[in-house]
Amino acid sequence: MATATTILQWLSIIGMVLIVVCCALIVVRWRRLWFVAVAPLLWSVFGIVFYVLFMIGRLSTDGALLWSALHRAMAVALVLATVVMLWIILSTPLPMDDYDEADGYE
């Protein structure tokens, strides 16, 4: 069980490093929209710090619980924001939703 947990933790760290890289690329590519990368960037950085400190034994039990809860709370906020954005996008009518046969379009 410890081996599987360690593998999952390393995969999480690798994924979070990739998120940091993607956020950096977003900031470079779309400079004016830098703020869209802040939340996933912070979540990833906090996750990397948490896992590294945890793996090297620098977190107390209370510290591990606090960092873990912080990381999960940020994940909930990110997923909730994503769902709200999807709701807004999906409820916005597409131009073809206004299609009317009387307009002569076939």
Side-chain angles (χ1 to χ4, degrees):
M1 186 68 134
T3 302
T5 302
T6 302
I7 290 170
L8 286 172
Q9 288 172 331
W10 278 108
L11 290 174
S12 292
I13 290 173
I14 291 167
M16 286 181 258
V17 168
L18 290 173
I19 292 169
V20 168
V21 170
C22 288
C23 287
L25 292 173
I26 287 169
V27 169
V28 169
R29 171 64 176 86
W30 294 281
R31 288 189 190 275
R32 290 185 354 185
L33 298 173
W34 61 269
F35 54 89
V36 300
V38 171
L41 178 67
L42 286 177
W43 178 83
S44 299
V45 170
F46 284 150
I48 292 167
V49 170
F50 166 69
Y51 278 119
V52 168
L53 290 176
F54 184 77
M55 290 174 132
I56 63 173
R58 300 290 292 174
L59 282 178
S60 65
T61 303
D62 289 341
L65 288 172
L66 178 62
W67 274 89
S68 178
L70 170 67
H71 199 244
R72 283 191 312 275
M74 289 181 72
V76 168
L78 284 169
V79 171
L80 180 59
T82 302
V83 170
V84 169
M85 285 188 296
L86 284 172
W87 184 283
I88 291 167
I89 290 166
L90 293 172
S91 64
T92 303
L94 297 173
M96 290 304 292
D97 286 349
D98 296 331
Y99 171 75
D100 184 2
E101 289 183 30
D103 291 338
Y105 298 109
E106 296 188 39

